[in-house]
Amino acid sequence: MRKIVFGLAALLLLSAVPAVGGEDEKVYEWEYTLIHSDLPLYDFECEDFWPRGMVGEDIIAGCETRVAFGDWQFTPNPADQFPHDPVWYRLSNYGAIHCATNIRTAPKRDELDEGPFSRGFFARIGEGRRDGRTFEIWVLQQGMIPGSEYTLLARNGGKDDLIRSFRVLQSRCPKSNLLKARNSDVWQTRSCKINDRRQLLRFARRMLREPDYGTLELIEGVEEGPETEAPDPIDNPKN
């Protein structure tokens, strides 16, 4: 069974699907609700916040990242009977002085050039345990005004090489954090409001114990030079 929720990073909406089975049969509900904060929760004071400025005696300017730039694909968990559609992401480097990730999304890879645009960062926010194993917990923080949206991510810890894949976690929003307008007909207003780093980490650790929502994997990498066609933040401060 699936609840009506916002899709991955607010790109697509899912339709309600009736439960399968008899009345006494328990059906697992997969859930992904948009997570939103009034202001961005993570910034360059965080140790693992990427991309960020390069540091070195011979470096004048430049940005480095732990998460590979290129075309990524979200693939839903095959155990989900009513999965979210696959989603493509194009991640690119914004610039050499001011660092950020340009993000374009689309249901098909050949539509990425014209897909919705946003700007964001990846942040490692802590660790969690599942099945006796330790995982790094990350977020994709998208947008700046008015606030940011979050995708909860996890990966096996231990290596500091360039990241090319993540587990995408569900977001089964606690009722105390759930916002939803009344009498909106079919239009979706549901979101999960979290304005505290510690609360978001606790929530992510709980989601780590649930089945993964899917995977986010790099399909093809690109050079890390600035994307010259990306809009300037001054022209579009909401990004």
Side-chain angles (χ1 to χ4, degrees), residues 49 57 60 107 214:
F49 185 76
E57 292 183 1
I60 298 176

Side-chain angles (χ1 to χ4, degrees), residues 53-219:
M54 300 174 67
V55 178
E57 292 183 1
D58 299 327
I59 297 174
I60 298 176
C63 298
E64 59 181 342
T65 182
R66 283 284 317 282
V67 181
F69 294 122
D71 289 354
W72 293 63
Q73 186 181 34
F74 165 75
T75 304
N77 191 326
D80 188 352
Q81 288 182 292
F82 308 103
H84 190 295
D85 293 331
V87 179
W88 283 88
Y89 283 73
R90 177 160 293 161
L91 308 180
S92 62
N93 181 19
Y94 166 69
I97 298 177
H98 304 292
C99 303
T101 298
N102 297 320
I103 305 167
R104 294 188 184 276
T105 55
K108 297 180 180 179
R109 189 179 184 185
D110 59 8
E111 297 175 358
L112 279 169
D113 287 341
E114 304 300 327
F117 177 86
S118 65
R119 188 168 280 124
F121 300 87
F122 288 86
R124 184 170 70 90
I125 66 172
E127 294 182 340
R129 300 275 296 175
R130 181 169 72 182
D131 299 330
R133 300 167 58 193
T134 299
F135 291 84
E136 294 178 354
I137 296 177
W138 289 68
V139 294
L140 170 56
Q141 176 177 277
Q142 288 180 256
M144 300 170 194
I145 298 176
S148 298
E149 300 170 4
Y150 295 87
T151 302
L152 303 179
L153 307 167
R155 65 183 295 267
N156 296 335
K159 294 184 178 180
D160 292 332
D161 53 352
L162 194 64
I163 297 172
R164 295 177 172 85
S165 66
F166 286 106
R167 300 167 181 259
V168 179
L169 307 183
Q170 295 187 64
S171 55
R172 307 167 69 86
C173 188
K175 291 183 179 180
S176 59
N177 297 85
L178 191 63
L179 298 180
K180 183 179 179 182
R182 297 181 179 179
N183 302 319
S184 297
D185 195 26
V186 298
W187 310 113
Q188 302 304 310
T189 62
R190 180 187 178 105
S191 66
C192 191
K193 185 174 182 178
I194 298 180
N195 283 321
D196 181 82
R197 290 182 184 179
R198 290 174 295 181
Q199 185 181 19
L200 185 60
L201 177 57
R202 289 195 299 268
F203 179 44
R205 284 171 172 161
R206 291 200 302 272
M207 293 302 97
L208 182 62
R209 296 193 290 269
E210 298 285 342
D212 295 337
Y213 194 59
T215 58
L216 186 62
E217 296 179 297
L218 178 70
I219 303 301

